[in-house]
């Protein structure tokens, strides 16, 4: 009996038990599609974060308050004792001290409510200096950024993000309009072009950027602390030099050694590394859960094949009486199990791919379907079918024809 | 007349747990090519046991069974399967048709295991069904056929490989008198065409249609006699 013949009769047997076969396949489909989706989610998140970090520019140093636990890890930020000040930023900007820094932009971040008539919108307020635009690699879609003069005098001007603009002004052009922050009027002079990315929950497009002096006036804060100092190195090759210069300078200014620094400096590479580590953990965790469901699906196949063998003992006996050798019977059940596995695999991959297209519409998260995960899932489905089909197939093949025929 | 079947000192012991039961207790018999033999005997005497051995569905505990010159004792399961496929056609009391397949698919099944190409299989299956008078029932499933028609499908399946030996274990046991006549008529025809037939039955008038009767009692052949039909030939 040829393989093709065996496949045909396997298909016929599967068709003869439609509902049962469908349920078996369903188990595999759920397993496979969840593997594809979870791995896809993990990789999608990873890719998104990488893109955001890429957008920062590869010659950027990000100085944050608080010590770093490892070379790569970053700690601190909001809430932790702020040890970075505007004076630190000004010191770094001195080309005598840090010759490899091309531009420096401090950022003091807080949360404020912008009011335009009856519309009230809470956004994050970034107090900074004019180099911020270049250092962060942002562009304007309308208007202009504030000037050094405006920054120096703490002018009541703001540049807002694309999302903030549409929330406050709808389709109208915000440039030249005024909003009120805690009773103070602020003129909108520019709108940032959409960055298209969202970093750790806060949108890069929902922001109001103002001169640093204006920011402390608006929030009523007297502190000169900043939450981040962005330093742009002259080039990628001088990044390491800039890193050391900034580190040495800040250590001296804060009176600490670099080993016990109360600040941390991150580079694009170190950020990517940290983000990937987190994402990998998630991917492995979710993938593991999905893998278990795949295993359960495989056990389902075995169960069905065992039931099938028991139920079809007489058929097996008859086939043997008519000349089927043990090998042919074993093959028949193996092929049936593999067909179930493969069908489940293919449908699972399709469901996974469709799900990967559909999911981003419901949750704000990209899903990347990887060829490797898909191939591995398919191979697993087939292996499950064959693997869990072996035992029932062997049992079927071992039945003696007369015992099988006589069974009721 | 050369012998197709030769049994010598055949014993069959069934074992269920610690209990042993000797269903055949030393059977010697031979059936020539082209003979039509009926095996009769009371219930539990070992008729079906003998039939299963003749059909290579089971193997003797002791003794030798030589089929067409080949001692089956030396053969393994796979080789026995090939013998069943090439040399033997079965007709069972319970028909044993696969309910999910149309008549012709049931009939072609032995050809599938014989490795016959598809187109030829269908042709031969239809020819066999025509021969048993079911040319117009080729695509019917067993559930859509009467008992007599189902048994004729089974006969068609038994002949489709042109086997040396046709074994029928109470083929008319589940049939009414009309269907019984049809099926027995078919067997007569096959015999006339030169096929060797061994038939098991309870009914004396069925046994009378064979050439020769073997009476089996308590695991031993007690009588071996030609029938009136055999004697007049
Ligand atoms: N698998 C088995 N295990 C144990 N004993 C068995 C088995 N098969 C048959 N027997 C016993 O062997 C004896 C002969 O059985 P067999 O089926 O050959 O009888 P039979 O002549 O065909 O009877 P019937 O006319 O009722 O069909 C019976 O006593 C039966 O109980
Ligand atoms: Mg019997």
């Amino acid at each position: 009996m040829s393989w093709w013949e065996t496949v045909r009769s396997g298909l016929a047997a599967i068709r003869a038990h439609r509902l049962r076969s469908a349920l078996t396949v369903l188990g595999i489909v759920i397993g496979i599609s969840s593997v594809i989706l979870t791995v896809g989610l993990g990789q999608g998140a990873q890719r998104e974060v990488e893109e955001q970090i890429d957008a920062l520019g590869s010659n950027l140093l990000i100085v944050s308050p608080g010590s770093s636990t490892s070379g790569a890890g970053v700690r601190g930020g909001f809430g932790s004792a702020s040890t970075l000040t505007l004076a630190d930023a000004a010191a770094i900007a001195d080309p005598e001290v840090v010759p490899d820094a091309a531009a420096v932009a401090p950022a003091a971040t807080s949360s404020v409510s912008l009011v335009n008539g009856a519309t009230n919108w809470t956004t994050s307020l970034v107090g900074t200096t004019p180099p911020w635009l270049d250092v962060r690699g942002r562009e304007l879609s309308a208007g202009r950024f504030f000037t050094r003069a405006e920054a120096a005098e703490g002018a009541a001007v703001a540049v807002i993000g694309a999302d903030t603009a549409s929330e406050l002004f709808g389709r109208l052009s915000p440039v030249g309009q005024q909003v009120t922050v805690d009773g103070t009027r602020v003129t909108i002079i520019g709108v940032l072009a959409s960055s298209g990315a969202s970093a750790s929950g806060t949108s890069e497009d929902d922001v109001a950027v103002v001169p640093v002096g204006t920011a402390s006036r608006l929030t009523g804060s007297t502190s000169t602390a900043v939450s981040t100092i962005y330093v742009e190195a002259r080039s990628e090759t001088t990044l390491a030099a800039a890193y050391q210069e900034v580190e040495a300078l800040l250590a001296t200014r804060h009176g600490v050694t670099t080993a016990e620094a109360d600040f941390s400096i991150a580079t694009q590479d170190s950020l990517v590394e940290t983000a990937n580590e987190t994402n990998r953990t998630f991917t492995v965790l979710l993938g593991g859960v999905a893998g278990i469901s795949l295993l359960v699906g495989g056990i389902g196949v075995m169960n069905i094949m065992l039931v099938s063998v028991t139920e079809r003992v007489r058929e097996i006996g008859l086939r043997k009486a008519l000349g089927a050798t043990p090998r042919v019977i074993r093959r028949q059940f193996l092929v049936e199990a593999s067909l179930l596995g493969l069908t489940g695999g293919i449908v699972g991959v399709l469901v996974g791919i469709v799900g990967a297209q559909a999911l981003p519409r419901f949750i704000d998260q990209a899903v990347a379907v990887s060829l490797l995960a898909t191939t591995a899932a398919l191979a697993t489905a087939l292996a499950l079918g064959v693997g869990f089909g072996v035992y029932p197939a062997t049992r079927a093949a071992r039945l003696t024809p007369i015992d099988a025929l006589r069974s009721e | 007349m050369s012998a197709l079947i030769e049994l010598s000192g055949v014993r069959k012991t069934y074992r269920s747990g610690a209990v042993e039961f000797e269903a055949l207790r030393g059977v010697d018999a031979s059936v020539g090519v082209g003979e039509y033999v009926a095996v009769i005997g009371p219930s539990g005497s070992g008729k079906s046991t003998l039939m299963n051995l003749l059909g290579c569905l089971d193997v003797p505990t002791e003794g030798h069974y030589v089929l067409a010159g080949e001692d089956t004792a030396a053969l393994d399961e796979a080789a026995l399967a090939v013998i069943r496929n090439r040399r033997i056609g079965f007709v069972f009391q319970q028909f044993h048709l696969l309910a999910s397949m149309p008549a012709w698919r049931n009939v072609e099944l032995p050809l599938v295991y014989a490795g016959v190409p598809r187109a030829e299989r269908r042709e031969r299956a239809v020819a066999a069904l025509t021969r048993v008078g079911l040319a117009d029932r080729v695509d019917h499933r067993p559930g859509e056929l009467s008992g007599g028609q189902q048994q004729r499908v089974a006969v068609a399946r038994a002949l489709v490989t042109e086997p040396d030996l046709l074994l029928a274990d109470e083929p008319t046991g589940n049939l009414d008198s009309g269907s019984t006549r049809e099926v027995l008529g078919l067997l007569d025809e096959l015999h006339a065409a030169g096929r060797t037939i061994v038939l098991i039955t309870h009914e004396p008038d069925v046994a009378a249609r064979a050439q020769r009767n073997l009476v089996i009692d308590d695991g031993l052949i007690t009588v071996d006699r030609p029938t009136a039909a055999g004697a007049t030939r």
Side-chain angles (χ1 to χ4, degrees):
Chain A
M1 197 171 176
S2 71
W3 279 104
W4 176 229
E5 207 72 67
T6 315
V7 169
R8 285 174 50 90
S9 75
L11 284 173
I14 287 171
R15 239 176 297 137
H17 306 278
R18 270 188 211 96
L19 178 63
R20 189 203 288 165
S21 309
L23 289 175
T24 314
V25 166
L26 187 64
I28 303 249
V29 166
I30 291 173
I32 296 281
S33 50
S34 52
V35 165
I36 290 180
L37 277 180
T38 49
V39 172
L41 270 173
Q43 293 194 336
Q46 191 158 328
R47 198 169 298 169
E48 222 168 59
V49 170
E50 272 171 26
E51 273 165 15
Q52 279 163 22
I53 296 171
D54 268 347
L56 290 176
S58 56
N59 39 9
L60 189 68
L61 295 176
I62 301 157
V63 189
S64 318
S67 66
S68 62
T69 42
S70 73
V74 183
R75 217 175 63 189
F78 301 115
S80 67
S82 213
T83 57
L84 289 179
T85 61
L86 287 172
D88 286 331
I92 297 170
D94 184 348
E96 301 279 302
V97 187
V98 186
D100 289 303
V104 179
T109 313
S110 54
S111 181
V112 293
S113 282
L114 306 183
V115 181
N116 172 34
T119 319
N120 188 318
W121 185 250
T122 303
T123 186
S124 55
L125 184 77
V126 176
T128 186
T129 54
W132 183 89
L133 194 64
D134 279 341
V135 170
R136 293 298 316 271
R138 299 297 297 266
E139 271 162 24
L140 293 167
S141 64
R144 59 178 185 84
F145 208 71
F146 50 81
T147 61
R148 283 197 180 279
E150 284 168 328
E153 71 189 31
V157 292
V159 174
I160 57 177
D163 288 352
T164 322
S166 63
E167 288 294 342
L168 284 169
F169 299 99
R171 288 160 187 278
L172 295 176
S173 165
V175 177
Q177 305 281 336
Q178 292 199 323
V179 292
T180 330
V181 180
D182 236 350
T184 311
R185 293 185 160 277
V186 176
T187 307
I188 310 294
I189 56 167
V191 179
L192 292 167
S194 172
S195 76
S198 70
S200 52
T202 60
S203 170
E204 300 272 285
D205 289 333
D206 184 12
V207 68
V209 187
V210 298
V212 73
T214 314
S216 28
R217 202 147 47 78
L218 290 176
T219 56
S221 142
T222 53
S223 154
T224 58
V226 297
S227 41
T228 315
I229 300 174
Y230 297 100
V231 181
E232 191 182 40
R234 292 202 184 280
S235 70
E236 233 171 295
T237 49
T238 58
L239 187 70
Y243 185 107
Q244 284 174 352
E245 288 160 11
V246 171
E247 189 179 39
L249 170 68
L250 289 179
T252 315
R253 286 179 56 85
H254 295 185
V256 294
T257 65
T258 53
E260 57 194 26
D262 54 355
F263 56 90
S264 59
I265 308 176
T267 62
Q268 186 194 29
D269 281 351
S270 71
L271 286 178
V272 169
E273 191 48 45
T274 313
N276 280 354
E277 248 167 53
T278 320
N279 272 322
R280 256 197 299 276
T281 314
F282 269 110
T283 309
V284 167
L285 205 73
L286 288 173
V289 172
I292 289 173
S293 74
L294 193 55
L295 188 73
V296 171
I299 294 173
V301 173
M302 170 139 117
N303 189 21
I304 292 298
M305 294 317 293
L306 275 175
V307 170
S308 188
V309 166
T310 316
E311 203 186 75
R312 286 156 67 191
V313 168
R314 280 223 284 173
E315 176 188 332
I316 294 167
L318 175 72
R319 287 178 182 273
K320 288 193 157 186
L322 298 183
T325 58
R327 200 166 66 141
V328 166
I329 297 288
R330 200 182 315 121
R331 253 197 216 172
Q332 181 187 334
F333 279 86
L334 264 186
V335 164
E336 269 181 47
S338 317
L339 282 174
L340 286 178
L342 196 63
T343 311
I346 290 171
V347 176
V349 166
L350 290 180
V351 169
I353 289 174
V354 170
Q357 303 299 318
L359 208 54
R361 287 166 204 235
F362 303 110
I363 59 169
D364 183 26
Q365 177 66 69
V367 183
V369 175
S370 88
L371 188 66
L372 182 70
T374 308
T375 320
L378 260 183
T380 313
L382 192 58
L384 281 177
V386 175
F388 285 107
V390 165
Y391 175 60
T394 313
R395 255 179 62 153
R398 229 187 267 140
L399 290 168
T400 69
I402 189 59
D403 287 340
L405 257 184
R406 249 201 310 245
S407 87
E408 284 314 318
Chain B
M1 184 167 53
S2 63
L4 180 65
I5 292 173
E6 269 178 296
L7 296 171
S8 49
V10 167
R11 288 168 182 275
K12 179 69 191 179
T13 307
Y14 289 116
R15 217 169 258 111
S16 39
V19 186
E20 287 195 359
F21 181 82
E22 197 165 42
L24 292 180
R25 302 186 297 139
V27 171
D28 301 293
S30 98
V31 175
V33 173
E35 259 195 297
Y36 185 178
V37 178
V39 178
I40 50 179
S43 184
S45 56
K47 301 185 297 294
S48 293
T49 304
L50 179 64
M51 171 73 128
N52 295 336
L53 296 182
L54 292 180
C56 294
L57 292 172
D58 209 349
V59 287
T61 317
E62 240 179 80
H64 287 273
Y65 169 31
V66 178
L67 175 65
E70 194 167 11
D71 191 343
T72 57
L75 302 176
D76 66 2
E77 253 242 63
L80 289 175
V82 173
I83 297 259
R84 290 195 291 272
N85 184 250
R86 303 280 152 78
R87 296 199 179 280
I88 301 167
F90 291 98
V91 182
F92 303 97
Q93 183 175 352
Q94 308 87 336
F95 317 148
H96 281 318
L97 298 175
L98 297 183
S100 61
M101 298 181 176
W104 78 271
R105 283 243 177 248
N106 270 286
V107 173
E108 75 154 2
L109 216 46
L111 298 178
V112 170
Y113 295 121
V116 175
R118 257 160 65 72
E120 187 187 336
R121 281 197 323 245
R122 157 108 196 169
E123 215 170 276
R124 281 170 70 175
V126 171
L129 282 167
T130 308
R131 184 148 177 206
V132 300
L134 290 176
D136 56 342
R137 296 285 192 276
V138 166
D139 290 316
H140 285 56
R141 282 165 202 274
E144 301 158 358
L145 298 171
S146 75
Q149 288 170 334
Q150 289 187 50
Q151 195 59 304
R152 274 145 71 194
V153 172
V155 173
R157 181 181 62 194
L159 338 151
V160 75
T161 52
E162 306 282 329
D164 300 324
L165 175 63
L166 198 68
L167 292 176
D169 190 349
E170 305 199 33
T172 60
N174 285 345
L175 301 180
D176 65 10
S177 57
S179 302
T180 299
R181 223 172 304 119
E182 279 173 13
V183 170
L184 292 178
L186 261 176
L187 294 182
D188 285 345
E189 274 174 41
L190 293 170
H191 174 232
R195 188 92 33 221
T196 310
I197 301 175
V198 176
L199 170 113
I200 289 179
T201 184
H202 270 119
E203 299 151 70
D205 51 332
V206 173
R209 299 179 76 133
Q211 283 180 299
R212 192 176 142 206
N213 283 356
L214 291 178
V215 180
I216 191 164
D217 195 2
D218 200 13
L220 286 171
I221 291 178
T222 52
V223 181
D224 182 349
R225 60 162 186 250
T227 61
T232 55
R233 282 278 267 260

